[in-house]
Amino acid sequence: MTPASFVRKRMGEWRELESLLARIEDRRDRSLDPDDMLRFARLYRAACTDLSLAEAFRLPGEMRMFLEDLVSRGHSNLYSFRKQRIATLRELFFEKIPALIYSDVFIRIALLAFYIPFALSLYLGYASRPFAIAVAGEAQLEQALEMHLESRENPTAGGALAGTGFYIFNNASLALICFSVGILGGVLSILVLLMNAVYIGAICGFLLTTPARDNILSWLPGHGPFELTAIAIAAGAGLRIGFSLIAARGRSRLRALREESQESIPAIAVAVLLLVVAAFLEAALAPAELPLPWKFAVGGAATLLLIAYFGVYGSMAARRAKSRGGD
């Protein structure tokens, strides 16, 4: 292949890369999509190969300079995207998400509406079997007892997943329900949250009085903080959407619903992430033959992590965001 034929063969892609680079470097251009970026990466790699062949084909100096410029600009933009993505993720997880969760009054209401009744019901279920029966029904209590006793007798990963699969599915479904029913004014989100807080607390309290006590203590602490907090956060997001239909604050209800739905997306993403983490912890810790203090240490660390991230760090991030807004 002659230098001229090589240039004719490759010039189309070089010009396409040059055009894409111009669009990328134009910060006002918002028309780029993932397919464009994928095409850019492919053309950049091909141009790097062409530049390495430039000497072998003895391309003219001006053509080599053209290729060198394309490769240099491509390299700069490609790695600037990677740095930008890292910076965006860092800002998302260390600034925006903790600040949004901390500042969201609806999530605060939902957390209080879940954990206070849950703690009270846990105590009453432990202290009073009639209370647990009144809340969950004797058949459901016996089923829960049998499930956790069987899991204790066969502490394998498969047995633990079989024994706790109901709870994973139930809590993931519950989080979705708490969010989705929020559109009905938000009242149902809180009602569903309260009912399940009392129900889960009563069953766990009852199990602490049975031979399955050690098993429930081994099963619950590791993943419980993540899973239960995820349910409350999802309910808070649903409450926000529902409240927007009641108090639109000068907006049309359709506009209020759209805007508050967008504001709720980070909360739903956090709830999903917490449920995934909870599922992994449950699968890893439930069958593990570890001393109870070790599992309680994991649960304590999880609780402190949530408080530190959403409470302490969220407060700091919210103040930083407020100060930047004031500037």
Side-chain angles (χ1 to χ4, degrees), residues 5 7 12 19 78 87 103 113 115 134 202 228 255 260 277 290 306 320:
S5 60
V7 170
S19 176
L78 181 64
S103 303
Y115 275 112
L228 300 180
R255 179 185 172 188
E260 297 304 327
V277 172
L290 296 174
L306 290 171
R320 286 195 294 269

Side-chain angles (χ1 to χ4, degrees), residues 240 251 254-264:
R240 168 184 281 277
R251 302 168 291 181
L254 183 60
R255 179 185 172 188
L257 179 63
R258 183 173 63 251
E259 291 180 352
E260 297 304 327
S261 297
Q262 291 175 345
E263 288 291 324
S264 298

